[in-house]
Structure formats: structure tokens, C-alpha cells
Amino acid sequence: MDKIDILSLDIDELQEIIAGMGEKKFRAKQIFQWIHVKRVFDFDKMTDISAQLRTRLKEKFCVKGLFVQKRLESCMDNTVKYLYGLYDGNFVETVLMEYSYGYSLCISTQVGCRMGCQFCASAIAGFVRNLEPSEMLMQIYETEKNAGIRISGLVLMGIGEPLDNFGNVIKFLNLLSHKDGNNFSLRHVSLSTCGIVPKIYELAELKLQLTLCISLHSPENSERSEIMPVNRAYNLQELIKACRYYITKTGRRITFEYAVIDKVNSSDKDADRLSDLIRGINCHVNLIPVNKVKERNYTTAGNAVADFAERLRKRGINATVRRTLGSDIEAACGQLRRDAAGNDMIGGADT
Ligand code: SAH
């Protein structure tokens, strides 16, 4: 029998299994705290549990650890990019960023991505599999251990489409915020989606405290469909309708992400159309200069982002420009993994 991945179990599931082993239910809470609070993954070190039970736990459960395959530290700021190896030989990226208020971590939710956004490095290598809740948690636990810090913010903006791995992402968020575990407030979590409309409705029903970020990148359907194939399934009007519903249901303001790309979506007309599209919505627009991706020719001209922001503001739209961090340590998100999964795979990436 395969061992059970203990980090992916919520406390109720753990209780049920522990009770099924003929043990007292409170043991589950003890074990849960060893793992999620004390970050002890070796059953032998769980000292308030009998030696006999520890042996049985080892037989029944496993911990799927991550290992640091590559670690790049920025010389310009304190950003650190990790390429983590998973138990099955796959890789994902995690990025640690330092802000004035503390550390924020950007984690991946899938190995690869099937959304096919044209400007995104993750799309190029294609989709492999979903990450399990434990693999999302482990990106946090491993990075906190490696860097010797605790994070105060979390963004689901690494490799993958979180809403395409809905069940595991929600389970991960529940584990992360559980009062007997990390007790991490979802107010400090941002979840970014390319716009899988039915899942936005589903998420709204859960009324989580997180910030929903929508990757918009174009105010016009034909252009958006060119750069984001998801728009062919769920167009801008359906997406905006879902956003309005989400805000009504949760009372939370949403963020629209917009990578300003020369000759694609950066004209004055684009800014005006964007203002018209989102006028009256409780939102804010986060403008991003496009990250260079080796295989693509997308660029952002020097003043383009600031000019675009100014034009939006003049039309009453709340717009900010995202600070670019760690620009010296690798190009766009997904690039490291793609390199590792390509020809470096056999020789091993640099460590
Ligand atoms: N799949 C999710 C989350 C991962 S991408 C989503 O689409 O939102 C996180 C953010 O980075 C998204 O807004 C995405 O559109 C953006 N992004 C991807 N590649 C980029 C690039 N080369 N330059 C700038 N932003 C990029």
C-alpha cells in the first residue's frame, strides 16, 4: 500500500485515519502541530508520541520533501529565486521578495501550465501535472527554513493556473490558515488567475479573505484572445460579469493585472478602452513591464508603463506600477524550470 502524504491531509482527515488506527483523536492535533507549527517532519522527533505509535506513523505516512536544485540571489535587491526539485523529478519555481513590511513569497501551483498565454515562459514547456497541497505548503516551509525568515505575504503567481487546480489550491489555503497550524491570515494572500470564469463563481461562494487578481492584459476581445487563449472560452464581458459577482459576494476589492506590451496593448486607445471596461468596479489596476522571455519578442518601452498609468488615473482609474524585483537573476517566471526540464535535465542544472 502506498504511504499517505501527511502534509496534504486536513485535520479532520488526519483524525479519521488516526482513529482508524485505534488511537485517541487528540493525537491528530498533536501530529498536525508538529508538522505545521514546529515544522518537524521526522516522526522520530515527535517526542510526546509513544515510540510504538511513531513506528506505526512511519509505516502509514510519508512526507514528500522538496530539494533546492538551484538558488539565485539578486545583487540588486534581496530577491531569491528557488528552483525546487519534487519527489518525481519535476521542478517548480518559488520567489522570495523583500519589502519594507516584510517578506512575500510567490509560489507555483502546477508543474507547467495549460493556459498558453503567449508572453508567459511557463506556457512554453507545457503542462505536466497539478501540485498537491503538500507541495504548495512545502514551498513555504522549505524557503522559510532556507532563508531563516518567516513570510508575511503570499502570492499564487508562480508557475501554473491556480483555478485550474482548484481543489488542491483551496485545500492548501485551508491548511495554511488553519488555527491549529500556521494560522496564516488569507488577507495576506493574493491569488492570480487568467480568468477561468466558472471557477471565479465557485471561489466567490467560499468568501475567502484573499485578494483575487485577474490577469487582464487587454481590454479588447480579439487582441486578448490572441495573447491569452483562455479568452476564447471566457470572453471579457463574461469575465467582468464574474468579477462584479465576486466583489458583491465577498466584499473584497479585486486587482487587474496588465503587462504593458509595445504594439500589443500599450496605446492611448487601449488605456481608454480599459477605463471604459472596468469603470465603476471596486478594483485597482497593477501595471507590469513585460518580463523578457527568451523565445518571445515582447518588450515594454521606457516610459510606456508610467504613461499608461497616468492616462488611466486621468480617467479616474486607480492604477499602480509594480516594482520590478530580482530582474538580474533570471528572466520571466517559468524560465528556470523550462531550462531545467530541457537539456540541463540529464547533466543537472547548476546548483
Ligand atoms: N496563471 C495565473 C498566475 C500565474 S502568472 C495568471 O495567469 O494570473 C502571474 C502573473 O504574471 C500573471 O498576471 C501573468 O499574466 C503575468 N505574466 C506572465 N508572464 C509574464 C511576462 N513575461 N511579463 C509580465 N507578466 C507576465
Side-chain angles (χ1 to χ4, degrees):
M1 192 188 77
D2 280 349
K3 290 189 182 183
I4 302 166
D5 172 17
I6 195 163
L7 258 79
S8 286
L9 296 179
D10 62 35
I11 201 151
D12 293 339
E13 291 169 324
L14 191 57
Q15 261 172 12
E16 207 177 307
I17 298 172
I18 295 291
M21 290 166 75
E23 295 288 337
K24 293 267 188 310
K25 265 191 174 179
F26 75 89
R27 293 278 174 219
K29 188 168 157 186
Q30 274 181 322
I31 298 164
F32 194 82
Q33 288 180 329
W34 274 111
I35 292 170
H36 298 286
V37 180
K38 297 179 195 150
R39 310 279 169 87
V40 170
F41 308 126
D42 178 351
F43 295 110
D44 282 330
K45 297 206 171 111
M46 300 183 182
T47 46
D48 55 4
I49 290 168
S50 73
Q52 194 207 8
L53 178 55
R54 281 186 249 154
T55 306
R56 294 181 69 206
L57 293 176
K58 275 188 280 181
E59 285 162 9
K60 190 132 192 120
F61 299 107
C62 67
V63 173
K64 290 179 177 168
L66 306 180
F67 65 91
V68 181
Q69 173 78 5
K70 197 167 183 173
R71 183 182 188 277
L72 296 173
E73 212 166 312
S74 170
C75 304
M76 299 160 74
D77 44 61
N78 287 331
T79 302
V80 186
K81 199 159 188 174
Y82 294 89
L83 179 70
Y84 282 120
L86 308 176
Y87 69 92
D88 61 354
N90 280 303
F91 297 99
V92 289
E93 291 175 28
T94 308
V95 184
L96 180 64
M97 295 156 289
E98 191 177 7
Y99 291 94
S100 53
Y101 58 81
Y103 289 93
S104 176
L105 192 69
C106 175
I107 65 161
S108 297
T109 54
Q110 295 180 314
V111 180
C113 186
R114 57 177 138 222
M115 296 299 123
C117 299
Q118 282 300 300
F119 45 82
C120 181
S122 300
I124 295 164
F127 176 76
V128 178
R129 69 169 173 86
N130 283 328
L131 288 186
E132 292 154 30
S134 61
E135 294 173 310
M136 292 180 244
L137 280 171
M138 270 299 194
Q139 291 175 66
I140 302 175
Y141 296 175
E142 200 50 54
T143 306
E144 289 190 331
K145 191 173 101 191
N146 186 285
I149 52 101
R150 282 291 159 121
I151 59 162
S152 45
L154 180 72
V155 296
L156 276 59
M157 288 191 190
I159 298 169
E161 166 50 48
L163 298 189
D164 188 38
N165 185 15
F166 194 85
N168 286 347
V169 165
I170 298 304
K171 195 167 187 193
F172 155 72
L173 292 173
N174 288 337
L175 281 164
L176 183 68
S177 56
H178 197 282
K179 63 174 178 24
D180 293 326
N182 292 286
N183 203 11
F184 194 91
S185 167
L186 296 186
R187 286 182 176 273
H188 303 300
V189 175
S190 295
L191 183 155
S192 179
T193 177
C194 63
I196 303 183
V197 165
K199 295 293 172 190
I200 296 175
Y201 284 105
E202 223 178 294
L203 188 66
E205 300 309 320
L206 301 177
K207 294 190 183 168
L208 301 179
Q209 292 293 299
L210 54 76
T211 300
L212 179 64
C213 305
I214 305 285
S215 298
L216 206 58
H217 303 315
S218 173
E220 206 265 318
N221 275 317
S222 62
E223 184 56 63
R224 191 167 188 268
S225 294
E226 281 283 311
I227 55 172
M228 300 181 70
V230 68
N231 197 71
R232 295 172 206 158
Y234 309 109
N235 69 25
L236 280 165
Q237 285 61 43
E238 293 171 82
L239 178 57
I240 295 297
K241 196 171 156 201
C243 290
R244 287 184 187 279
Y245 180 83
Y246 186 88
I247 295 163
T248 309
K249 197 80 193 175
T250 64
R252 309 274 305 162
R253 184 173 82 151
I254 64 173
T255 297
F256 289 112
E257 293 159 280
Y258 197 103
V260 179
I261 312 173
D262 296 343
K263 299 193 190 81
V264 175
N265 62 7
S266 61
S267 69
D268 286 351
K269 202 171 156 207
D270 288 316
D272 296 348
R273 283 190 297 196
L274 177 60
S275 317
D276 292 342
L277 183 70
I278 62 177
R279 177 154 297 115
I281 296 181
N282 182 15
C283 71
H284 125 263
V285 178
N286 198 211
L287 298 169
I288 323 162
V290 74
N291 279 318
K292 283 220 164 57
V293 175
K294 271 190 227 160
E295 294 78 358
R296 306 274 189 253
N297 275 328
Y298 293 120
T299 51
T300 306
N303 286 334
V305 178
D307 292 349
F308 203 87
E310 197 45 39
R311 196 155 177 110
L312 290 180
R313 286 188 201 118
K314 280 202 181 119
R315 275 156 185 71
I317 303 290
N318 180 354
T320 51
V321 175
R322 186 184 296 173
R323 227 176 100 207
T324 311
L325 288 175
S327 50
D328 57 328
I329 52 173
E330 266 307 309
C333 193
Q335 200 100 50
L336 273 186
R337 168 189 168 254
R338 220 241 13 229
D339 290 349
N343 40 10
D344 281 0
M345 189 73 160
I346 297 158
D350 327 331
T351 40

